[in-house]
Amino acid sequence: MKMNEAVAKLVQYSQNHSLTESEDETYITNTLLAALNLQTYEKPVVLGDCENLEEILDTLCDYAWEHGMMEGNTAAYRDLFDTMLMGILTPRPSQVISAFKEKYQQSPETATDWYYDFSRATNYIRTYRVKKDLKWVVPSAYGDIDITINLSKPEKDPKAIAAAKSAPQTGYPKCALCPENEGFAGNLHMAARQNHRILPLQLNGEAWFLQYSPYVYYNEHCIVFAGEHRPMKIERGTFARMMDFVTLFPHYFVGSNADLPNVGGSILSHDHMQGGHYTFAMERAPIEKEIVFESYPNVKAGIVHWPMSVIRLQSEKSADLVDLADKILTAWRGYTDAYAFIYAETDGEIHNTITPIARRRGTLYEIDLVLRNNITTEEHPLGVYHPHKQYHNIKKENIGLIEVMGLAVLPARLKQEMRLLADTVLAGKCVADVPEIAHHAEWFAAFVDAYTFTEENITDILHKEIGKTFVHVLEDAGVYKCDEAGRAAMMRFVNALHL
């Protein structure tokens, strides 16, 4: 693809997706030419396909590398450069906010549909990368569990890592979730965000913002974050903000990672929530035991049939849910039951917190309170209620909000490792003898005798076993187990609430 053609196609792409108007064509073309140091230009008579954005941007990045406009030809440098180009096409924040408000007058869903399409059109969500993710569903005793191997988040190149280490750090923006990322040029420490547009919200009287996740682990995966850079904290205000959010967007759920290490998300430094337009297995899970809170006659409550320990509250009055959820949180923060190995604190370190998730069911407000505890022992140095060591070959990372709800986000390494494991088994070789997959040997040995492996079925078998392992991981993360002793212990906590 010649440069004139690539520039023209990018301009036409922006018009096709309503990022720019036909009246902007000359201005946008000249701005792109300046960014590419191109002195001459002639628009091709015939353009052909203008929708293959990945190919168009690859052509422009190749040219930039060949002509000394990029320091390196790695994914990190190419992302910085092509985001700068897409930023030229992206409307100003005020225009985006105005368009969203206009769509919201039609309906909240019309507004979010438009904003999600916009975020993909600007290449903030790199759709062609997200499509590479592996996804499948595994049935379990708790319902259908979603499994994904995330391949859309690019691996960091060793050279880029080394360069980032020596590059100066400005402290601006303070983190990847700060509002100051909007329009930021980026560097080797922080992603470029010239094509990033955020929407202001008022939640519980505070300034918050809405954006989508660039990695889209599920449909319309959004992030809702505080305007102020402050640490994660689960508190009464969290529940109030969640109720406000699902009032504004009744077709979305919203949840928050816990606010303690080992049971929280990867970013604890900036208060935020995640939501989206997706039904997780936990939402579909039924109530296995009803609970009555006499002080809250308008609230229906129960323990959810789920591997983690979940109290579900429902009411048409969101204020009742905020008040009751706050009382449960406060009680859980200070609750100790040595018989169940639940300790509120040890040596001054607090352990109990909650992962909350809110949604609407028709006129009802609903909130799930997932009880969490991050205590560690010599046997379980990463956490007693954390994936146990025998499952670390599949999942070692924290069980955060998304996993809590029943969607496994597994490391990209598993794609190649499972392919190599399949080839090894079909070749009649020993898994333990292959260094790259030897850490899977014990895991594989636990189910090898249950199957006859063929080229046609081995991938499905491995997918099934990965799913079963993830369910075990969720059971590990449950502070109360799904057995008679575990449920009795959970009811001790419920009864101790005296509500």
Side-chain angles (χ1 to χ4, degrees):
M1 190 187 303
K2 302 295 185 182
M3 287 302 294
N4 283 354
E5 182 183 3
V7 170
K9 282 187 172 183
L10 189 57
V11 173
Q12 186 60 51
Y13 170 91
S14 72
Q15 292 180 22
N16 293 349
H17 292 271
S18 301
L19 300 178
T20 66
E21 304 294 336
S22 58
E23 294 85 352
D24 301 321
E25 183 171 321
T26 299
Y27 172 82
I28 293 297
T29 299
N30 285 331
T31 307
L32 288 171
L33 294 177
L36 292 160
N37 290 333
L38 290 170
Q39 303 301 316
T40 61
Y41 173 76
E42 184 175 342
K43 182 178 179 179
V45 176
V46 179
L47 283 181
D49 180 20
C50 297
E51 291 304 304
N52 192 338
L53 184 60
E54 182 180 20
E55 182 182 31
I56 296 169
L57 293 176
D58 278 346
T59 298
L60 297 174
C61 284
D62 288 344
Y63 177 86
W65 167 243
E66 292 164 2
H67 291 77
M69 285 178 267
M70 297 192 311
E71 293 181 43
N73 197 27
T74 65
Y77 285 110
R78 293 173 76 91
D79 283 0
L80 288 171
F81 192 82
D82 69 19
T83 302
M84 178 271 292
L85 296 178
M86 292 304 298
I88 293 171
L89 312 177
T90 304
R92 294 285 181 92
S94 58
Q95 296 172 279
V96 177
I97 293 168
S98 178
F100 183 84
K101 288 180 177 178
E102 181 180 332
K103 301 291 184 184
Y104 191 88
Q105 293 305 309
Q106 300 176 43
S107 75
E109 193 163 354
T110 298
T112 55
D113 284 349
W114 173 82
Y115 183 46
Y116 190 59
D117 287 342
F118 170 83
S119 299
R120 290 184 291 181
T122 63
N123 208 38
Y124 173 70
I125 298 173
R126 295 175 182 260
T127 307
Y128 45 85
R129 287 184 182 169
V130 174
K131 287 179 179 178
K132 296 176 183 178
D133 292 349
L134 299 181
K135 299 181 179 181
W136 67 93
V137 176
V138 175
S140 79
Y142 308 100
D144 289 343
I145 303 296
D146 294 309
I147 310 293
T148 178
I149 295 179
N150 181 254
L151 303 171
S152 57
K153 194 171 184 178
E155 296 286 340
K156 288 191 175 181
D157 181 87
K159 291 182 179 178
I161 294 172
K165 187 176 181 180
S166 59
Q169 297 191 38
T170 64
Y172 178 87
K174 292 179 180 177
C175 77
L177 291 180
C178 284
E180 290 79 11
N181 282 278
E182 186 176 43
F184 184 61
N187 51 52
L188 293 177
H189 295 289
M190 300 286 285
R193 289 290 182 253
Q194 291 103 318
N195 58 348
H196 181 40
R197 299 294 180 264
I198 60 178
L199 299 172
L201 303 174
Q202 278 288 310
L203 300 180
N204 194 34
E206 291 185 345
W208 281 60
F209 294 89
L210 173 68
Q211 68 176 61
Y212 287 106
S213 166
Y215 306 117
V216 196
Y217 293 140
Y218 50 84
N219 187 47
E220 296 180 44
H221 178 184
C222 67
I223 301 173
V224 189
F225 57 100
E228 177 189 4
H229 180 77
R230 67 188 189 206
M232 292 283 292
K233 185 178 182 182
I234 304 299
E235 58 184 355
R236 183 186 183 92
T238 305
F239 307 133
R241 289 188 288 272
M242 293 170 76
M243 293 298 113
D244 282 356
F245 183 84
V246 296
T247 299
L248 287 170
F249 305 103
H251 58 297
Y252 274 12
F253 80 90
V254 70
S256 175
N257 269 304
D259 52 359
L260 295 179
N262 297 339
V263 293
S266 58
I267 301 179
L268 295 177
S269 61
H270 196 118
D271 203 0
H272 69 285
M273 305 181 287
Q274 297 181 72
H277 199 181
Y278 191 73
T279 301
F280 289 87
M282 192 176 81
E283 180 180 343
R284 297 190 295 265
I287 296 294
E288 67 177 44
K289 182 178 177 62
E290 291 190 1
I291 302 170
V292 175
F293 294 109
E294 293 182 357
S295 302
Y296 294 87
N298 295 318
V299 176
K300 182 180 179 181
I303 295 173
V304 180
H305 180 64
W306 191 244
M308 299 187 70
S309 309
V310 186
I311 297 174
R312 178 169 293 165
L313 310 176
Q314 284 184 338
S315 178
E316 291 190 346
K317 299 181 178 180
S318 61
D320 282 355
L321 295 190
V322 171
D323 195 52
L324 179 52
D326 181 48
K327 285 182 168 60
I328 293 172
L329 171 66
T330 300
W332 179 247
R333 291 278 196 198
Y335 184 74
T336 291
D337 181 351
Y339 292 105
F341 205 77
I342 303 294
Y343 293 92
E345 60 90 20
T346 56
D347 299 324
E349 180 184 355
I350 62 171
H351 297 303
N352 289 347
T353 186
I354 279 176
T355 299
I357 302 102
R359 63 185 74 90
R360 300 287 296 276
R361 290 188 192 264
T363 60
L364 290 174
Y365 288 87
E366 181 173 281
I367 187 166
D368 286 344
L369 304 175
V370 187
L371 307 179
R372 311 299 301 274
N373 180 287
N374 75 345
I375 193 169
T376 60
T377 63
E378 288 187 11
E379 183 183 1
H380 301 294
L382 296 179
V384 173
Y385 308 109
H386 181 92
H388 288 179
K389 189 175 181 180
Q390 66 264 39
Y391 306 129
H392 285 183
N393 63 309
I394 301 298
K395 179 70 175 179
K396 184 179 181 180
E397 298 79 13
N398 295 346
I399 299 302
L401 170 69
I402 296 171
E403 287 91 355
V404 163
M405 296 185 291
L407 191 157
V409 181
L410 302 179
R413 62 174 172 81
L414 285 177
K415 178 184 179 181
Q416 180 59 30
E417 289 175 2
M418 289 301 113
R419 183 181 298 159
L420 181 55
L421 192 151
D423 291 344
T424 300
V425 172
L426 294 175
K429 298 178 182 178
C430 178
V431 173
D433 292 339
V434 181
E436 296 88 344
I437 56 172
H439 57 291
H440 292 298
E442 187 176 339
W443 173 77
F444 180 70
F447 61 82
V448 60
D449 294 334
Y451 301 101
T452 298
F453 296 97
T454 67
E455 189 171 342
E456 290 73 27
N457 72 12
I458 191 166
T459 297
D460 288 341
I461 291 171
L462 293 177
H463 282 182
K464 176 183 176 181
E465 292 297 330
I466 288 172
K468 289 168 65 176
T469 299
F470 179 66
V471 172
H472 290 315
V473 161
L474 291 181
E475 290 172 337
D476 284 347
V479 295
Y480 295 114
K481 306 310 175 188
C482 297
D483 55 24
E484 186 176 348
R487 287 310 189 231
M490 190 169 181
M491 284 307 299
R492 286 201 297 273
F493 167 65
V494 171
N495 292 332
L497 293 170
H498 301 299
L499 295 173

